[in-house]
Amino acid sequence: MSVSPMLVRLAAEKATGALLRDHGTLYLVDGRVVHAESPAAPGMDVLLTTAGRIPREGWDEAVDRAGAHRAVGRFLVDSGRLGDGELEICHLGAVFDAAFFALSPTSGPTRFRYGVGHWFGTVRPVSAEAVERETLRRRELLDAVWPYASVDTAPVVPRPAAPGQGLGARRRALLSAADGVRTPADLARFLGRPAFHTLLDVRRLAAAGLIETPLDAAPDATPTPPPPAFPPVPPVADPDIALLRRLRDALEAHL
């Protein structure tokens, strides 16, 4: 199953340009995805500056000096603000995060602008096939944890924990930031975290009964118990899949 037949076609054509959809944009070079952005996902600026990895003035300097050359990522490394590996992991995380939302189902038109590039520049191209597979994996994971997408856009309202009910530090921080007004997307930006990982935590909190959900108003709703958080995935020899797994593990270890 393809999430975007046009993306598959452009990959086969080895096209270069920008794929514009309702919820975001994917940038391709020779048919491979080199960048993605979406209003639903924090960009590299938020991920790097909110977490304190680089100061805002350092980011602004990189954009001012290297943006016109489509080399912001390279400037961050050459100026000593980021290491090569750190840039690659952070950028790949941002790409897959934004691509998840950009490739969400849409009723609007999908357009492609040939030759258009992004000012951040190319870090590590990823195959369109790997982006599609990861997008599908993330959809399945969200539904396996809590199959009601209504919590994805609703304000996050904490509920009291049951006696003895524990939480990890990441989800405690999320609940502390939840003020009953911020949505998961707002919380991702506020905390400087990838939006998908924030959605996943919100669905896990919903499954644990630790946040209010729209289903609470429907007494006949009986959610099914969630399965284990990460169902086993059969081994795949594709190097992009191996990279995705390493990226996922790195992100979840540090967020």
Side-chain angles (χ1 to χ4, degrees), residues 127 129-130 133 236-243:
S127 72
E129 183 183 10
R133 282 199 300 260
V236 180
D238 190 323
D240 281 325
I241 295 299
L243 172 66

Side-chain angles (χ1 to χ4, degrees), residues 15-205:
T16 295
L19 177 64
L20 290 79
R21 291 169 58 91
D22 277 0
H23 305 297
T25 303
L26 273 65
Y27 294 85
L28 281 68
V29 172
D30 295 331
R32 295 172 69 85
V33 178
V34 297
H35 195 75
E37 58 188 11
S38 169
M44 286 286 289
D45 57 336
V46 174
L47 296 174
L48 289 172
T49 62
T50 302
R53 181 58 192 85
I54 64 174
R56 168 54 69 171
E57 56 269 24
W59 172 265
D60 292 341
E61 179 191 12
V63 173
D64 290 342
R65 296 182 59 179
H69 306 289
R70 297 181 184 173
V72 172
R74 190 71 255 158
F75 182 89
L76 290 171
V77 172
D78 292 345
S79 63
R81 297 192 182 278
L82 290 177
D84 271 312
E86 189 176 11
L87 172 66
E88 183 173 312
I89 287 176
C90 186
H91 185 253
L92 280 171
V95 166
F96 287 119
D97 197 40
F100 172 79
F101 296 97
L103 294 174
S104 61
T106 176
S107 58
T110 298
R111 304 177 303 281
F112 189 71
R113 295 181 179 172
Y114 285 91
V116 174
H118 194 273
W119 48 262
F120 192 83
T122 298
V123 178
R124 187 190 190 282
V126 182
S127 72
E129 183 183 10
V131 171
E132 284 214 327
R133 282 199 300 260
E134 177 64 5
T135 297
L136 287 171
R137 185 193 74 85
R138 292 183 178 208
R139 289 182 188 175
E140 292 167 359
L141 179 55
L142 286 176
D143 287 341
V145 170
W146 180 258
Y148 305 101
S150 53
V151 297
D152 295 351
T153 54
V156 179
V157 181
R159 297 176 64 181
Q165 191 173 16
L167 274 179
R170 188 177 71 244
R171 273 168 243 165
R172 284 201 305 271
L174 191 155
L175 284 176
S176 295
D179 57 1
V181 176
R182 295 186 180 112
T183 64
D186 296 330
L187 288 168
R189 290 187 180 84
F190 179 78
L191 296 169
R193 298 178 179 179
F196 170 77
H197 288 77
T198 304
L199 282 186
L200 187 58
D201 278 336
V202 166
R203 291 215 193 185
R204 286 175 172 155
L205 291 168

